Amino acid sequence: MAVTDLDLDLVAELRRIAEVVAREAGGLVLGRPDRVEVAATKTSPQDVVTAMDLASENLLARRLAELRPQDGLLGEESGFRAGTSGVTWVVDPIDGTTNYLYGLPSYSVSVAAVTGPAGAAPDPSTWTVLAGCVHAPVDGRTFSAGRGLGATRDGVPLHLAAPPELDLCLVGTGFGYRREVRALQARVLTHVLPRVRDLRRLGSAALDLCAVADGTLDLQFERGLNPWDVAAAWCVLTEAGGVLTGLRGAPAGVIMTVAGDAGRVAELAALLEQAGADDDVPAI
Ligand code: IPD
Ligand code: CA
């Protein structure tokens, strides 16, 4: 079944559930042991999973199945399971796992409800994000949004402020886990850094995108982001008045996500295009 018309009661309910389960998972994750072990690695030895990533995703999957049994799920650690309602939950049980591993505070739980082509795994090029919540357990910041209902941080409405000129913008970014992607990202930084106020690599893309929504950053760009990194923050940022795009007219996605005020996003995207930020990356 497709969710076609925007049913604001449904959106409000999905937002409420996203907040509830993100806070519950955040409470679990806060019980971080003094010593965190790596449970597994994924795309590279640097791309780690901890036992808490798995426990948090299990909690999210179990609670969402209790509250919305007909919905599908796409989880970073467990993959895609189709539902029958037309709604799929896209969850990142810990966004910022490297920070979590080291005890750095910038990590979050990200929970979003999206709709899109029936039976297919959610994809930023075709999805509509209906609602989302990004919760940072350490300092308690909670961003949430519902499509057509606005975005908030800790209950306070968010509206994107007019940004400064690009050369005075504070820009967030992040790096992939594969060395050949990182080599390209390092080259791109030599084009971007001289043309902005400064760069920040805070370690949770979901929180970075929410920081753009509340003005803590002016812009964010990153190559390699996955649906679970961006889904909930996508709703927060767009409901706050921002945009997310890719390069050369493409939608935001794994090749590139550029986020913020529409005018500055266009300028930064042009800079990234000149820098070849979407060049093919060889498998080394
Ligand atoms: C990562 C974080 C990081 C970003 C990486 C993501 P994870 O997610 O969002 O900020 O730079 O690209 O993979 O692995 O901690 O869930
Ligand atoms: Ca994660």
Side-chain angles (χ1 to χ4, degrees):
M1 188 186 107
V3 176
T4 45
D5 298 322
L6 196 55
D7 175 343
L8 292 181
D9 289 338
L10 172 64
V11 170
E13 176 64 1
L14 296 173
R15 179 184 190 174
R16 187 189 67 77
I17 289 172
E19 289 181 13
V20 166
V21 301
R23 286 180 193 278
E24 288 179 8
L28 176 74
V29 168
L30 258 190
R32 179 183 179 280
D34 288 341
R35 186 180 164 90
V36 176
E37 302 287 350
V38 172
T41 61
K42 296 190 281 189
T43 59
S44 77
Q46 289 75 31
D47 187 2
V48 303
V49 181
T50 71
M52 193 62 92
D53 290 88
L54 303 173
S56 175
E57 181 146 328
N58 282 343
L59 181 152
L60 292 168
R62 178 175 54 76
R63 291 289 285 133
L64 289 168
E66 283 168 12
L67 296 165
R68 298 270 311 174
Q70 314 301 325
D71 296 349
L73 180 73
L74 172 64
E76 176 170 12
E77 313 305 343
S78 57
F80 175 58
R81 174 180 56 71
T84 55
S85 66
V87 172
T88 301
W89 293 91
V90 181
V91 305
D92 191 336
I94 301 178
D95 185 53
T97 298
T98 304
N99 283 346
Y100 182 78
L101 184 66
Y102 280 78
L104 293 166
S106 184
Y107 56 83
S108 59
V109 177
S110 176
V111 179
V114 313
T115 185
D123 181 323
S125 66
T126 53
W127 71 20
T128 299
V129 187
L130 299 173
C133 177
V134 177
H135 174 61
V138 174
D139 62 18
R141 270 178 304 157
T142 303
F143 298 86
S144 89
R147 186 173 166 83
L149 296 176
T152 56
R153 184 189 68 190
D154 303 329
V156 178
L158 294 173
H159 303 287
L160 212 66
E165 298 298 315
L166 184 61
D167 62 353
L168 292 180
C169 279
L170 186 61
V171 181
T173 192
F175 308 122
Y177 291 112
R178 289 169 50 218
R179 66 173 67 171
E180 55 271 36
V181 175
R182 289 180 167 187
L184 179 139
Q185 288 173 317
R187 179 170 62 72
V188 168
L189 293 188
T190 67
H191 294 257
V192 176
L193 185 53
R195 295 176 175 81
V196 298
R197 183 190 295 274
D198 208 341
L199 292 170
R200 291 290 179 273
R201 198 289 190 249
L202 300 172
S204 163
L207 282 177
D208 289 354
L209 293 166
C210 291
V212 176
D214 80 0
T216 317
L217 292 172
D218 294 309
L219 290 163
Q220 163 78 6
F221 76 95
E222 185 163 345
R223 180 164 179 157
L225 292 178
N226 288 297
W228 45 83
D229 298 315
V230 299
W234 185 298
C235 194
V236 171
L237 182 53
T238 54
E239 284 297 313
V243 301
L244 299 94
T245 69
L247 300 187
R248 302 178 215 284
V254 70
I255 298 296
M256 182 58 66
T257 299
V258 191
D261 161 83
R264 291 297 169 274
V265 162
E267 291 175 54
L268 179 56
L271 187 56
L272 293 167
E273 289 166 10
Q274 288 161 18
D278 54 351
D279 284 355
D280 287 343
V281 174
I284 292 174

